[in-house]
Amino acid sequence: MMHEDRITDLPSDILVSIISRLTIHEATSTSILSSRWRHLHAYNTHLNFTKYAIGEMDRIIYRSQYDLDRVVNHVLNSHRGSRIKEFTFDLHRCGVFYEIERYFEFALTRKAEMIHISPGRLTFRRLPDRNGLECLKDLSLISIEMSDQYFQFVVSNCPILECLTVKNCSKLENVAIVGPSKLKRLNLSFLSGIRSMVIRNAISLVSLTCFECRRECSVQLSNIPKLTKLNLRDSRYSRTQVEFISQMPYCIRDQLQLLRLSYAYYSSSDLCKLNLELLNNSWLQFVNMKYLELVIDKTTIHDYYYVSRYACRWVAAFCTLEDVGHDWGS
């Protein structure tokens, strides 16, 4: 008895929605099901080029350093949809050559709402076309070198951008986010060449993450009325968390409700200096803080006596603390 295929009879937009929840490898494999399914994968709205998403193909067909690049190009060249929702490229561990700028521009031409790219130490040399930036809500660029001009061009042409992450970039020197925007979450981390960071009139910003900000970096924060979450990490070579927080305007510091502090690469003498620094800034008070989380990298910090004293001094600075969490890292 032949069973009726009711799934194939569903409208095409529903089938495309189903396919878009599969990995690239799985979505492409649906083309053999029937003539109805043959080209549906070409309208996939979630293009995730990660080692997990590509699946078994990395063990089957990658015979040279260019094979992976050919697979990605084939998927993009055969894509027929006018819009996509998500474009993710995270294959930097494969050690192959990429046309990252072309991939980024492809995602923009398809009006992607989310673009996450992490190729591993490549440089964006030419400015992208403005077309498509107006649809972008979530942008993450990791291990991509870019100039101040490139950063400013992208930020100023993304009117509905809500989440922005820029990490592991040494050429970016001056970061400026000025004026009303819809930006809610901002992550600026491991920017080894940064000289100045200006965030002003970011009226929608709720969360700020900054890992290992240079001591020489000038930080200016003003008129960020909704900022309640701050995530900082320092090392012995970066600006300390006490320096960062003590230089924040009172009105912004008093808004904070969640503070996450991470530590790495500290000797006992470094931790002793941090304790003294915090003691010398005992005037620091957080009137609305609800949650404090301390993240300690146990592989690089071994003197827990000074760590515990440092943690206690932080707790003492909070008048309204409801919970304290700790993570000893890995």
Side-chain angles (χ1 to χ4, degrees):
M1 179 179 178
M2 184 175 294
H3 295 284
E4 183 179 0
D5 182 3
R6 294 186 178 182
I7 294 181
T8 299
D9 293 334
L10 291 172
S12 295
D13 56 344
I14 294 180
L15 294 180
V16 170
S17 178
I18 294 172
I19 289 175
S20 297
R21 287 165 169 76
L22 305 176
T23 66
I24 293 290
H25 178 56
E26 292 167 342
T28 305
S29 299
T30 62
S31 62
I32 65 173
L33 295 177
S34 70
S35 58
R36 173 78 194 285
W37 289 81
R38 185 168 300 161
H39 301 295
L40 287 176
H41 70 277
Y43 296 89
N44 194 339
T45 59
H46 293 69
L47 299 179
N48 296 308
F49 296 99
T50 64
K51 204 160 190 179
Y52 167 76
I54 290 181
E56 296 297 318
M57 294 199 303
D58 65 332
R59 293 202 294 270
I60 297 174
I61 62 174
Y62 300 161
R63 297 292 182 258
S64 74
Q65 64 177 1
Y66 298 103
D67 284 340
L68 176 59
D69 198 43
R70 284 201 292 266
V71 169
V72 176
N73 282 324
H74 173 73
V75 172
L76 300 188
N77 292 335
S78 62
H79 193 272
R80 300 183 180 184
S82 59
R83 301 194 65 153
I84 61 175
K85 291 185 177 180
E86 175 185 346
F87 182 90
T88 301
F89 188 95
D90 183 7
L91 291 169
H92 59 281
R93 293 180 180 85
C94 296
V96 297
F97 176 76
Y98 313 112
E99 299 178 72
I100 295 299
E101 284 181 301
R102 193 175 78 82
Y103 300 163
F104 184 47
E105 291 169 358
F106 168 87
L108 291 177
T109 60
R110 293 302 193 275
K111 312 291 186 183
E113 296 178 8
M114 186 184 90
I115 300 177
H116 288 190
I117 299 181
S118 178
R121 291 299 174 194
L122 292 175
T123 302
F124 276 173
R125 291 186 170 85
R126 63 177 184 269
L127 294 178
D129 194 295
R130 286 184 175 86
N131 183 34
L133 287 172
E134 73 278 2
C135 300
L136 197 53
K137 294 182 179 180
D138 186 343
L139 175 63
S140 177
L141 301 175
I142 300 176
S143 298
I144 294 179
E145 298 293 351
M146 69 186 78
S147 64
D148 295 351
Q149 180 189 14
Y150 192 99
F151 176 87
Q152 202 59 46
F153 178 86
V154 171
V155 170
S156 61
N157 286 283
C158 295
I160 63 172
L161 189 66
E162 296 181 354
C163 303
L164 174 62
T165 297
V166 178
K167 296 172 63 175
N168 300 329
C169 177
S170 61
K171 293 184 178 180
L172 191 59
E173 296 184 353
N174 302 290
V175 172
I177 298 177
V178 179
S181 69
K182 294 190 176 182
L183 191 63
K184 296 179 180 179
R185 291 180 289 278
L186 177 62
N187 186 336
L188 301 171
S189 297
F190 307 112
L191 307 182
S192 59
I194 192 167
R195 296 178 180 274
S196 69
M197 182 190 305
V198 178
I199 305 174
R200 186 168 62 245
N201 299 331
I203 59 176
S204 299
L205 189 64
V206 174
S207 173
L208 173 62
T209 297
C210 187
F211 282 8
E212 301 194 16
C213 181
R214 293 180 64 201
R215 291 185 183 274
E216 300 83 1
C217 178
S218 169
V219 179
Q220 300 178 40
L221 308 177
S222 63
N223 193 22
I224 316 176
K226 294 184 179 180
L227 183 64
T228 57
K229 300 177 182 179
L230 183 62
N231 185 3
L232 300 176
R233 164 178 160 147
D234 61 16
S235 69
R236 67 176 61 170
Y237 306 109
S238 65
R239 175 188 293 265
T240 67
Q241 295 156 350
V242 176
E243 290 174 331
F244 193 102
I245 294 174
S246 64
Q247 294 175 14
M248 295 175 66
Y250 284 95
C251 57
I252 296 179
R253 190 166 61 242
D254 289 347
Q255 296 168 186
L256 297 177
Q257 296 182 17
L258 186 150
L259 181 62
R260 188 174 190 267
L261 304 175
S262 304
Y263 306 89
Y265 308 109
Y266 279 120
S267 64
S268 296
S269 60
D270 292 325
L271 288 168
C272 183
K273 291 177 183 178
L274 287 177
N275 270 283
L276 290 174
E277 182 183 34
L278 188 52
L279 183 62
N280 292 332
N281 287 274
S282 57
W283 53 269
L284 281 175
Q285 293 292 320
F286 301 84
V287 297
N288 286 306
M289 190 64 64
K290 305 299 182 185
Y291 183 80
L292 169 65
E293 181 177 356
L294 302 175
V295 182
I296 312 297
D297 185 348
K298 67 180 181 182
T299 64
T300 59
I301 296 178
H302 305 287
D303 195 328
Y304 296 116
Y305 170 74
Y306 284 109
V307 169
S308 61
R309 291 188 63 183
Y310 192 54
C312 289
R313 294 193 190 281
W314 271 115
V315 173
F318 301 105
C319 306
T320 57
L321 199 62
E322 294 180 357
D323 197 6
V324 178
H326 59 82
D327 183 351
W328 295 102
S330 57

